[in-house]
Amino acid sequence: MGRKSSIAEEDLIEALSRVFRDTGYEGATLSSLSQETGLQRASLYHRFPGGKEQMAREVLGATEIWLAENLFEPLKGDGPVDLRLEAMTRKLDALYSSGKQACILNMLSSASDHDSPFAEAIKRIFHALIDAFASLVEGQGFDAAEARARAERVVVLLHGSLVLSRGTGSQRPFERFLETLPDELLGRR
Amino acid sequence: MGRKSSIAEEDLIEALSRVFRDTGYEGATLSSLSQETGLQRASLYHRFPGGKEQMAREVLGATEIWLAENLFEPLKGDGPVDLRLEAMTRKLDALYSSGKQACILNMLSSASDHDSPFAEAIKRIFHALIDAFASLVEGQGFDAAEARARAERVVVLLHGSLVLSRGTGSQRPFERFLETLPDELLGRR
DNA sequence: GTCTATAGGAAGATAGAC
DNA sequence: GTCTATCTTCCTATAGAC
């Protein structure tokens, strides 16, 4: 354990993520996955005997872990809430490259008939997102129902702004989302 | 002109739309398009010499026309604004089957490297959507900037709620969007 | 305008050398 | 653990009969 392969592992998953995020499940070919990772097709099968489907599942698993460590954990800190929000905003901005990149959750929601293997993970991640936002809002004195409503709304705005940014070729919708994020969560109505 | 083929034409495009909307561009195969339309692959090539790409382009063109006739036109009427909003809500509810179906704009936004042919049409349709909403809002006494901001926000909420509904397997996010639609457009802030 | 048949290539996946 | 070579299946697209 602790060999150089453990470093390559992270880069490997990252490269696979890029392909799935940019081209979707059906659009991702073994050739494109091979090219982006620098591994031959057969090498990918050695690491992922389950083929493309397993790669996508592991990408989703890594996404789930990334979110927990980089987005949810800082959100739970006990520092000033506006600082925590600002930190999260920066993370989101980097994750989606200021609106230039789509969300892997959206891109892997379809996958024709084998959506079953992904559907569960995607659903879980969406709920984890909502829970994380709701928990922060509730921590600022809002009741549970209101917190949940605001959290869901922010998840909707996040993904809607990404769709619109991609569809119009403009980063503005996503940027606007980031600007209004704090108010959407904690502003008074 | 006026032969039975003109009726089949509508059904044909509708069937193709279903496939592209449910499986995306890469996920749509000539076989699935053939099965859904009831035409053999070669027959599809006779009608669409440009193959899959032309089919997707014509589907987007038909979508553009459908929106203009069924969504934008009623929105411009001079009846009570709440009745016009209700009519539009029903149209949206039907178009997306209460949140069970994805949006073709989202599903065709990617298409690997040949996104160029679709990107233009998708962008145009998104802007037409925003313009239609903004025009209604402005007609109710709001200034142009505020009307546009609200219109964009509604388009974001629409697509975000569709993404979340699909991702969580629940129609609730889309239903909630429809409920809050009138207030998002015309409510006082 | 629709069909059957097929060409030609790219897809996912495996075998076996190193 | 990575590679080259290969298998099989499915893909897009075309040819040509009816």
Side-chain angles (χ1 to χ4, degrees), chain A residues 28-106:
Chain A
T29 67
L30 266 292
S31 295
S32 64
L33 293 163
S34 162
Q35 187 160 14
E36 192 72 13
T37 57
L39 290 179
Q40 293 295 341
R41 284 187 293 261
S43 305
L44 286 174
Y45 275 100
H46 174 79
R47 171 64 183 78
F48 306 96
K52 208 168 83 160
E53 185 175 310
Q54 184 182 356
M55 297 183 214
R57 269 190 280 110
E58 295 208 15
V59 159
L60 279 176
T63 300
E64 202 166 358
I65 293 172
W66 189 94
L67 287 175
E69 292 177 350
N70 290 278
L71 217 68
F72 304 160
E73 206 53 49
L75 224 51
K76 289 192 223 156
D78 52 359
V81 71
D82 47 327
L83 286 189
R84 281 183 276 155
L85 278 179
E86 200 195 312
M88 181 187 65
T89 300
R90 278 197 304 270
K91 285 287 187 183
L92 286 175
D93 195 43
L95 178 57
Y96 298 112
S97 290
S98 301
K100 285 194 296 288
Q101 287 171 348
C103 182
I104 185 100
L105 299 178
N106 184 19

Side-chain angles (χ1 to χ4, degrees), chain B residues 83-118:
Chain B
L83 286 189
R84 280 183 277 155
L85 278 178
E86 199 195 313
M88 182 188 64
T89 300
R90 277 197 305 271
K91 285 287 187 182
L92 286 175
D93 195 42
L95 178 57
Y96 298 111
S97 291
S98 302
K100 286 194 294 288
Q101 288 170 348
C103 183
I104 185 98
L105 299 178
N106 184 18
M107 295 304 284
L108 287 183
S109 291
S110 67
S112 304
D113 56 330
H114 29 52
D115 39 346
S116 330
F118 310 138

Side-chain angles (χ1 to χ4, degrees), chain A residues 109 152-153 166 176, chain B residues 109 152-153 166 176 184:
Chain A
S109 291
E152 265 198 42
R153 184 181 186 72
R166 186 163 55 124
R176 247 189 298 271
Chain B
S109 291
E152 266 198 42
R153 183 186 176 75
R166 187 164 55 125
R176 247 190 297 271
E184 288 290 344

Side-chain angles (χ1 to χ4, degrees), chain B residues 1-12:
Chain B
M1 66 290 285
R3 295 182 303 279
K4 65 182 171 189
S5 67
S6 65
I7 299 189
E9 167 80 7
E10 266 192 26
D11 294 343
L12 179 56

Side-chain angles (χ1 to χ4, degrees), chain B residues 46-137:
Chain B
H46 178 264
R47 172 65 183 77
F48 306 95
K52 210 168 81 161
E53 186 176 309
Q54 184 182 356
M55 297 185 215
R57 269 190 282 108
E58 296 209 14
V59 159
L60 278 177
T63 300
E64 204 166 356
I65 292 172
W66 189 95
L67 287 174
E69 291 178 349
N70 290 277
L71 217 67
F72 305 161
E73 207 51 49
L75 225 51
K76 290 191 222 156
D78 53 358
V81 70
D82 48 327
L83 286 189
R84 280 183 277 155
L85 278 178
E86 199 195 313
M88 182 188 64
T89 300
R90 277 197 305 271
K91 285 287 187 182
L92 286 175
D93 195 42
L95 178 57
Y96 298 111
S97 291
S98 302
K100 286 194 294 288
Q101 288 170 348
C103 183
I104 185 98
L105 299 178
N106 184 18
M107 295 304 284
L108 287 183
S109 291
S110 67
S112 304
D113 56 330
H114 29 52
D115 39 346
S116 330
F118 310 138
E120 199 190 354
I122 290 174
K123 187 174 178 175
R124 196 170 51 238
I125 297 178
F126 268 120
H127 284 127
L129 263 174
I130 295 172
D131 288 347
F133 289 138
S135 163
L136 176 129
V137 174

